[in-house]
Amino acid sequence: MDYPYQVAFEAFLANDGLAPTTIQAYHDSITHFFAYLADEWQEEPNVTKVTEADLQAYFSNRQNKHGMTLATYNKVLSHLNRYFRYLLVRQIITTYPTLALHGALPKVTQPLTTKWLRKLDELLLDQQLHPYVRLTLLLTSHGYQVSEFLQPGFAKVMNNLKPHSNAEQCFLDQFRNFHTPLAQLQACPDPFLKLRVNQAQPHLSNAGLHKFLKPAEEYLGMRLAPRFLYQSFVFYTLAQHPELSPQALADYLRLDPAALNYYQRQRLTLKAQGLLSD
């Protein structure tokens, strides 16, 4: 059997009136996807563990390594959609991993880099970068996610942040000089505030933060979306601490074991695809 539930699924397609050549096309698409998973997971794939991220990685891999037309992408996605819908209806799986995917050809992905963590001191003192850009880098390097540092009340965490170097302390002093007048105007102590006074809603949104990060991407030659920065921080930590047990890593990164396992798999996948630059 080339993929899970192959016999039952292909019998279902035949009963639905599909031609043998069409069923073979389904077979080829689904077999190729599960062969990819087997290589990435280094184990027999389990349909209950397949996620949207696995599908996105698969399509990105095909696009980056071999190129893919929009017609091919849509055909394969259609085949996988019907397969996972079949499994969902029969309660073999409880989530629908293709739900968020749609007919748009994946872009060739810019490699994710962890080099910024080794250059952090230099970046924190670079006056060409907006204070919000530098603070995002600093907080990410301390293991905080954007969902944490944009939340109301994060000022308490900031007040207890321990700098790891003189450059970090110097930046924090500079940021305090930038932030204090704004915090007084907004009547809010939290670090990420709108520059235009709005005391009713003073906090910068995720979209608002991206307006500061996006212009700096070309200057630095790297992706600055917080989720990519956090990914690279986790990957860097995994590479720097191979001696730590899974539980120690999970505690250090403040991740549950399932999330840690996800990042470990993603790191291996991206490295295999040439999409991670250490």
Side-chain angles (χ1 to χ4, degrees), residues 80-115:
L80 291 170
N81 258 329
R82 191 164 189 182
Y83 171 71
F84 284 110
R85 187 166 62 250
Y86 168 86
L87 298 178
L88 184 68
V89 167
R90 283 151 184 80
Q91 300 183 340
I92 296 168
I93 59 176
T94 57
T95 59
Y96 191 19
T98 56
L99 181 63
L101 302 182
H102 50 82
L105 193 65
K107 297 177 181 179
V108 175
T109 309
Q110 181 182 358
L112 197 67
T113 180
T114 63
K115 292 179 181 178

Side-chain angles (χ1 to χ4, degrees), residues 4-157:
Y5 302 96
Q6 173 192 330
V7 174
F9 177 64
E10 292 182 9
F12 162 77
L13 295 178
N15 289 335
D16 212 30
L18 272 67
T21 53
T22 304
I23 294 173
Q24 184 62 47
Y26 272 86
H27 176 94
D28 293 346
S29 296
I30 300 168
T31 297
H32 192 274
F33 172 65
F34 277 96
Y36 163 83
L37 284 187
D39 287 341
E40 295 301 320
W41 292 8
Q42 296 297 302
E43 62 182 51
E44 191 70 23
N46 183 331
V47 290
T48 65
K49 295 181 180 179
V50 176
T51 66
E52 178 192 333
D54 292 316
L55 286 148
Q56 289 176 331
Y58 167 69
F59 283 118
S60 293
N61 176 268
R62 286 193 63 168
Q63 175 69 344
N64 285 304
K65 284 192 172 182
H66 310 294
M68 184 168 44
T69 65
L70 181 58
T72 298
Y73 171 76
N74 285 332
K75 180 186 73 172
V76 174
L77 179 56
S78 174
H79 292 166
L80 291 170
N81 258 329
R82 191 164 189 182
Y83 171 71
F84 284 110
R85 187 166 62 250
Y86 168 86
L87 298 178
L88 184 68
V89 167
R90 283 151 184 80
Q91 300 183 340
I92 296 168
I93 59 176
T94 57
T95 59
Y96 191 19
T98 56
L99 181 63
L101 302 182
H102 50 82
L105 193 65
K107 297 177 181 179
V108 175
T109 309
Q110 181 182 358
L112 197 67
T113 180
T114 63
K115 292 179 181 178
W116 67 271
L117 287 150
R118 293 192 291 273
K119 298 172 59 179
L120 182 62
D121 283 357
E122 177 184 336
L123 295 173
L124 291 177
L125 300 179
D126 189 339
Q127 300 297 317
Q128 297 298 313
L129 296 172
H130 191 277
Y132 284 162
V133 175
R134 288 181 279 162
L135 184 60
T136 298
L137 295 174
L138 175 63
L139 293 175
T140 305
S141 76
H142 281 247
Y144 294 103
Q145 300 188 54
V146 66
S147 58
E148 296 175 289
F149 58 70
L150 290 184
Q151 282 296 307
F154 193 76
K156 295 178 181 177
V157 179

